[in-house]
Amino acid sequence: MDISQNDRAKIILSSRILSLKKNAIFFNSHDLDGLLFLKSGKLRFFLSHLEARELPLYYLNNMEVEFFEDFSDNSTSTVLDIAFIVEKNSEILLIPYSVLNLFRDKYSVMEKFLHNLTREKFSKSLLSLQNILLIPLKDRLLKFLYSLNKTEISLTHEEIAKNIGSSREVISRNLKVLEKENFLKVNRKKIIILDRSDIL
Amino acid sequence: MDISQNDRAKIILSSRILSLKKNAIFFNSHDLDGLLFLKSGKLRFFLSHLEARELPLYYLNNMEVEFFEDFSDNSTSTVLDIAFIVEKNSEILLIPYSVLNLFRDKYSVMEKFLHNLTREKFSKSLLSLQNILLIPLKDRLLKFLYSLNKTEISLTHEEIAKNIGSSREVISRNLKVLEKENFLKVNRKKIIILDRSDIL
């Protein structure tokens, strides 16, 4: 059930290499739909919603693959819009959705591969939203700051908010609480993580 | 690329008809994994979480199909547990996951069908969690009560809470607010929806 040499060539010839600039945002139903292989850089996927805050879903890191699909043909999801923002300058290899579609009926191995990507995306997204709903914001904030693995963090409160699905005001308030509890110090420009090993 | 008569027979012979009693709960990694066709009744799917509240995902209604899969083999989702509760006595036809798995590599048409079910489940679930995160509880509560299409509702506050992913206390408080705003009346046993056409 292998993919024939002829079809393989067609797929390879259809693929494009694209450079994405930092901070660019791509929405679904865009011409970036398809199988997306990240050669370098970092993409952050989120649920976007008109006039509302962004809900973080997951990251795509170096050498990872993503099946970025348009959901707008699905009747249940007219308000569901998965988007991504380019966190670092990135280079991707894209096999367009339209090309994949030509071969999905023919090769179950390809369909199974795409199915697994959808399934993985599904569980990562649910997990992220579940965390937002169940884990107190202060804990998520601390976990996020620790995950950066730096003692000095120069992200704005706004940027942190986007990453954990909150607002600037709420982040600022919670940073103050964490400062009082001696987890960190907040400067005008930086957040300094304090060494807890001295205290704990 | 049709399914051969032989394989078709194998699949049909593997299917089981099961009666599910009202209020029974089924978790993932249970022997109900597989392709599930609801002949009659109603199932409510939700995310369950140890010691935490349930997060509602979607319903399975009469004649609908669901691919109920075990996610526990997936490294990212050890804490992600999709479960369902039987809302009405139900009868289902189940094709076990183990049997489906035998044919997924062989028939792309089957893999594509399962993929579409996963995709649908994905968008319905995200939409539901997005609503919990973005739509104020009072609005969701009213929308849920209207969706029942009854003027007298005899659900407990606890039951309503489970349906929209909240707690009994929060529901009771919000019902009082809606009562003050003349949307409904709350009795000891019933909620009575008021006709807004007289007022609006």
Side-chain angles (χ1 to χ4, degrees):
Chain A
M1 229 9 148
D2 259 353
I3 298 176
S4 75
Q5 215 163 358
N6 197 7
D7 288 343
R8 207 181 281 262
K10 275 186 202 152
I11 292 169
I12 290 167
L13 286 172
S14 79
S15 70
R16 291 181 285 152
I17 289 185
L18 297 166
S19 293
L20 309 180
K21 281 262 174 271
K22 187 176 171 181
N23 291 328
I25 296 180
F26 295 89
F27 291 89
N28 262 340
S29 67
H30 194 275
D31 63 354
L32 274 190
D33 274 354
L35 193 64
L36 205 145
F37 172 68
L38 188 63
K39 294 183 69 183
S40 65
K42 190 173 190 179
L43 310 178
R44 175 165 59 85
F45 286 77
F46 60 93
L47 269 184
S48 70
H49 195 273
L50 237 84
E51 296 167 82
R53 64 200 175 110
E54 296 174 2
L55 300 172
L57 296 178
Y58 53 87
Y59 286 95
L60 195 69
N61 290 304
N62 252 358
M63 311 298 276
E64 286 182 335
V65 179
E66 153 81 22
F67 184 35
F68 191 58
E69 235 183 325
D70 180 10
F71 276 88
S72 62
D73 62 324
N74 190 323
S75 58
T76 53
S77 58
T78 40
V79 283
L80 198 69
D81 208 355
I82 298 178
F84 67 82
I85 183 162
V86 183
E87 292 242 314
K88 295 177 191 167
N89 286 334
S90 298
E91 211 179 24
I92 62 164
L93 185 98
L94 177 78
I95 300 174
Y97 185 78
S98 55
V99 175
L100 292 172
N101 232 356
L102 295 175
F103 299 106
R104 286 171 71 178
D105 287 334
K106 199 163 168 187
Y107 299 113
S108 67
V109 57
M110 181 188 255
E111 187 62 33
K112 199 173 181 184
F113 178 72
L114 297 176
H115 188 175
N116 280 338
L117 287 179
T118 300
R119 192 171 174 274
E120 211 175 288
K121 187 166 150 165
F122 180 39
S123 57
K124 279 191 289 186
S125 300
L126 282 192
L127 205 58
S128 167
L129 296 184
Q130 177 181 261
N131 284 343
I132 295 179
L133 282 157
L134 299 178
I135 300 177
L137 187 110
K138 203 182 77 177
D139 298 348
R140 276 192 290 133
L141 173 57
L142 200 58
K143 204 177 146 195
F144 170 71
L145 294 174
Y146 283 157
S147 77
L148 299 173
N149 246 324
K150 286 180 183 169
T151 48
E152 293 196 3
I153 294 161
S154 44
L155 292 173
T156 67
H157 298 188
E158 181 73 35
E159 284 166 337
I160 296 173
K162 294 253 157 135
N163 268 283
I164 65 173
S166 183
S167 66
R168 190 183 53 73
E169 295 76 13
V170 174
I171 295 300
S172 299
R173 201 184 329 127
N174 276 278
L175 281 173
K176 269 183 202 143
V177 174
L178 288 171
E179 188 168 30
K180 263 192 197 150
E181 294 173 357
N182 277 316
F183 283 96
L184 43 83
K185 269 197 187 308
V186 185
N187 278 351
R188 214 168 50 87
K189 295 219 158 189
K190 272 185 291 204
I191 297 163
I192 296 145
I193 304 290
L194 299 180
D195 188 355
R196 302 282 292 170
S197 59
D198 300 343
I199 312 162
L200 293 173
Chain B
M1 226 12 145
D2 259 354
I3 297 176
S4 76
Q5 214 161 358
N6 198 6
D7 289 343
R8 206 181 282 262
K10 275 188 202 150
I11 293 169
I12 290 167
L13 286 172
S14 79
S15 70
R16 291 181 285 153
I17 289 184
L18 297 165
S19 293
L20 309 180
K21 283 262 174 271
K22 188 178 169 179
N23 290 329
I25 296 180
F26 296 89
F27 292 89
N28 262 342
S29 67
H30 193 275
D31 63 353
L32 274 191
D33 272 355
L35 193 64
L36 206 145
F37 172 67
L38 187 63
K39 293 183 69 183
S40 64
K42 190 174 189 177
L43 311 178
R44 175 165 60 84
F45 287 77
F46 60 94
L47 269 185
S48 72
H49 196 273
L50 237 84
E51 297 167 81
R53 65 199 174 110
E54 297 174 2
L55 299 172
L57 295 179
Y58 53 89
Y59 285 95
L60 195 69
N61 290 305
N62 252 359
M63 311 299 277
E64 285 182 337
V65 179
E66 154 81 22
F67 184 36
F68 191 58
E69 235 184 324
D70 180 9
F71 276 88
S72 62
D73 62 324
N74 190 323
S75 59
T76 53
S77 59
T78 40
V79 283
L80 198 68
D81 207 355
I82 297 178
F84 67 83
I85 183 162
V86 184
E87 292 243 313
K88 294 176 190 169
N89 286 334
S90 297
E91 212 178 24
I92 61 162
L93 185 99
L94 177 79
I95 301 174
Y97 186 77
S98 54
V99 176
L100 291 173
N101 231 355
L102 296 174
F103 299 107
R104 285 170 70 178
D105 286 335
K106 199 164 167 187
Y107 298 113
S108 68
V109 57
M110 181 188 256
E111 188 62 33
K112 199 172 181 185
F113 177 72
L114 296 176
H115 188 176
N116 280 338
L117 287 179
T118 300
R119 192 172 176 274
E120 211 173 287
K121 187 165 148 165
F122 180 38
S123 57
K124 278 191 291 185
S125 299
L126 283 192
L127 205 58
S128 167
L129 296 184
Q130 177 181 263
N131 284 342
I132 295 178
L133 282 157
L134 300 178
I135 301 178
L137 188 109
K138 205 182 76 177
D139 298 349
R140 276 193 290 132
L141 172 57
L142 200 58
K143 203 176 145 195
F144 170 71
L145 294 174
Y146 283 158
S147 77
L148 299 172
N149 246 323
K150 286 180 183 169
T151 48
E152 293 197 5
I153 295 162
S154 44
L155 292 172
T156 68
H157 297 189
E158 181 73 37
E159 285 168 335
I160 296 172
K162 294 252 157 137
N163 268 283
I164 64 174
S166 183
S167 66
R168 190 183 53 73
E169 295 75 14
V170 174
I171 295 299
S172 299
R173 199 184 329 128
N174 276 276
L175 281 173
K176 269 182 202 144
V177 174
L178 288 171
E179 187 168 31
K180 262 192 199 152
E181 294 175 356
N182 278 315
F183 282 96
L184 43 82
K185 267 194 187 311
V186 185
N187 278 351
R188 213 168 50 85
K189 296 219 158 191
K190 271 183 295 205
I191 297 162
I192 295 145
I193 303 290
L194 299 180
D195 188 355
R196 302 283 292 172
S197 59
D198 300 343
I199 311 161
L200 295 173

